[in-house]
Amino acid sequence: MAEIKFEATKTFKEKPDVSSIGFGTHFSDYMFEMNYNREDGWHDPKIVPYHDISVSPANTTLHYGQAIFEGMKAFRQQDGKIVIFRTLDHLNRLNNSARLLDIPKVDINTVHQGLKKLIEIEKEWVPAKLGQSLYIRPFIFATDPYLGVSVSDTYKLLIILSPVAAYYAHGFAPVKIMVEDHYVRAVPGGLGEAKTPANYAASLHAGLVAHEKGYDQTLWLDGVERKYIEEVGSMNILFKIKGEIVTPSLCGSILGGITRKTVLAVAKEWGIPVSERRITIDEVCEAYKNGELDEVFGSGTAAVISPVGLLSYKGQDMIINEGKIGSFSQKMFDHITGLQSGLIKDTQGFIEGVTKI
């Protein structure tokens, strides 16, 4: 593993009141950086002062979008220890995204150690209040300075850090979802299972349409038949039907969420039936009609669990669990956030310590 160099900053930023800032608006003093070229591979890992970067107007990412990213969080537990949630799962998913976009895979050990060293240096940036965290954003982008449509020969990897408040500023509450049966996010054989900017760009317009109609998010259907459920906004979607947790199987157009993976593992540990399979919107409507749709919720890094109180499809509003938070959603939210804060013992190896008490 390459030595990780360190360059000290000359000036330090004033740390913000995390409870009063938006998501991803303030950044810590340092960042991790590493570069790639064909001759040297990934090389020169270092931690340097946070700074703006200069790119050519002909930068290939700006024109053709060859980029990937991840998102994870560090937490200050109740005893003062700083931990990260499922670090290696996120880094392995970064490499899966790299594979799909023909970006050279990184050495997981080097990036892992660089990330941990960065968090240790920036430990004072990890908020102390329950629900707050330090958001970690690793990303890779192509850096070739020409307009030819081809895979880049050079890349840059950066990891930046941003303190963030609790996702639910006004409390943990159900959201209203509109089923989107016109626009699509991704198709099998495309980039749907990669965490890449293109997928988020593809979701923006439909999200704005949903907001204009009074809904919080869009529920995506498959891009071919417009009947199989895929994701909700930028989260995975799960249903509790007749006591069973059902979620769409990973078919190539769905991002395999780390929180989704956690929910399924914990549910199995609790002895609750779990099914990963293709599920149609008509099946969900039928379950609702028959009184068998107990709960609907999204899962993701930012919100952890996002309960759905209303699902609208073709003019029909389905009120889920009387518009209240379901017992399973609440229990799962409390369990995962309890693991992250240290209030609940981690029995599955999800938590990785960065600093000692």
Side-chain angles (χ1 to χ4, degrees):
M1 186 177 71
E3 177 189 357
I4 300 171
K5 300 174 184 176
F6 175 72
E7 179 186 332
T9 186
K10 295 179 180 178
T11 58
F12 291 92
K13 302 174 183 177
E14 182 178 350
K15 295 177 179 63
D17 174 5
V18 177
S19 62
S20 65
I21 60 176
F23 184 88
T25 58
H26 290 68
F27 300 93
S28 69
D29 294 303
Y30 290 99
M31 64 185 188
F32 177 81
E33 181 177 345
M34 190 162 62
N35 295 296
Y36 175 91
N37 60 43
R38 290 187 181 275
E39 294 76 26
D40 303 311
W42 285 107
H43 64 280
D44 195 22
K46 55 190 176 183
I47 293 172
V48 298
Y50 184 96
H51 64 276
D52 291 341
I53 53 178
S54 175
V55 298
S56 164
N59 172 272
T60 51
T61 297
L62 297 180
H63 297 274
Y64 307 119
Q66 198 186 9
I68 55 175
F69 65 96
E70 268 301 322
M72 63 190 97
K73 289 180 176 179
F75 302 86
R76 187 180 300 276
Q77 296 194 325
Q78 298 299 291
D79 60 6
K81 184 179 180 181
I82 294 172
V83 303
I84 314 175
F85 189 72
R86 306 201 71 160
T87 324
L88 290 175
D89 289 292
H90 281 283
L91 294 180
N92 282 317
R93 190 173 67 174
L94 182 74
N95 262 349
N96 184 58
S97 296
R99 174 183 64 84
L100 292 165
L101 278 94
D102 285 312
I103 293 172
K105 291 184 179 182
V106 299
D107 176 63
I108 294 292
N109 290 331
T110 299
V111 178
H112 186 209
Q113 292 306 311
L115 189 156
K116 289 178 65 176
K117 185 174 180 179
L118 177 64
I119 299 294
E120 192 168 2
I121 291 169
E122 297 286 59
K123 60 188 176 183
E124 297 303 318
W125 281 85
V126 183
K129 291 184 179 179
L130 191 65
Q132 298 179 351
S133 58
L134 186 67
Y135 184 77
I136 305 166
R137 170 55 64 88
F139 61 105
I140 301 174
F141 63 99
T143 54
D144 278 0
Y146 59 79
L147 298 181
V149 183
S150 64
V151 173
S152 182
D153 289 328
T154 61
Y155 300 86
K156 183 179 288 289
L157 180 151
L158 299 174
I159 303 176
I160 56 177
L161 309 175
S162 178
V164 294
Y167 184 83
Y168 296 102
H170 304 292
F172 186 52
V175 294
K176 297 192 296 181
I177 303 297
M178 184 187 82
V179 179
E180 178 55 64
D181 58 0
H182 175 68
Y183 300 106
V184 299
R185 171 189 164 272
V187 295
L191 297 177
E193 65 174 296
K195 201 165 178 67
T196 179
N199 289 331
Y200 293 79
S203 72
L204 293 178
H205 180 67
L208 288 174
V209 171
H211 290 158
E212 289 170 357
K213 293 182 177 180
Y215 299 97
D216 299 296
Q217 275 292 0
T218 296
L219 179 65
W220 297 103
L221 301 180
D222 74 283
V224 179
E225 299 180 72
R226 308 290 204 283
K227 69 177 185 178
Y228 292 104
I229 291 169
E230 297 213 328
E231 296 189 12
V232 57
S234 57
M235 305 177 75
N236 293 120
I237 186 75
L238 301 98
F239 304 88
K240 188 166 181 275
I241 301 174
K242 293 190 291 186
E244 180 182 46
I245 302 302
V246 181
T247 191
S249 52
L250 303 179
C251 58
S253 55
I254 297 173
L255 180 69
I258 306 304
T259 309
R260 171 190 182 275
K261 190 176 180 180
T262 304
V263 169
L264 298 182
V266 172
K268 290 175 183 176
E269 186 180 52
W270 290 348
I272 297 173
V274 169
S275 176
E276 297 180 67
R277 61 177 175 82
R278 300 191 82 184
I279 178 171
T280 67
I281 185 61
D282 288 341
E283 180 183 344
V284 171
C285 293
E286 189 67 19
Y288 175 79
K289 180 181 176 181
N290 295 334
E292 299 169 344
L293 183 60
D294 306 322
E295 298 182 40
V296 182
F297 59 96
S299 68
T301 296
V304 182
I305 299 294
S306 183
V308 176
L310 182 148
L311 196 59
S312 180
Y313 179 56
K314 293 189 180 300
Q316 178 190 6
D317 285 347
M318 294 175 275
I319 309 300
I320 315 299
N321 193 42
E322 299 180 341
K324 301 174 183 177
I325 300 170
S327 58
F328 179 86
S329 301
Q330 184 70 64
K331 184 179 180 181
M332 185 60 70
F333 177 79
D334 292 342
H335 183 81
I336 295 176
T337 55
L339 290 172
Q340 294 167 340
S341 64
L343 295 174
I344 294 176
K345 184 178 180 180
D346 176 26
T347 61
Q348 298 202 40
F350 296 151
I351 301 298
E352 179 180 11
V354 176
T355 64
K356 297 180 179 179
I357 301 171

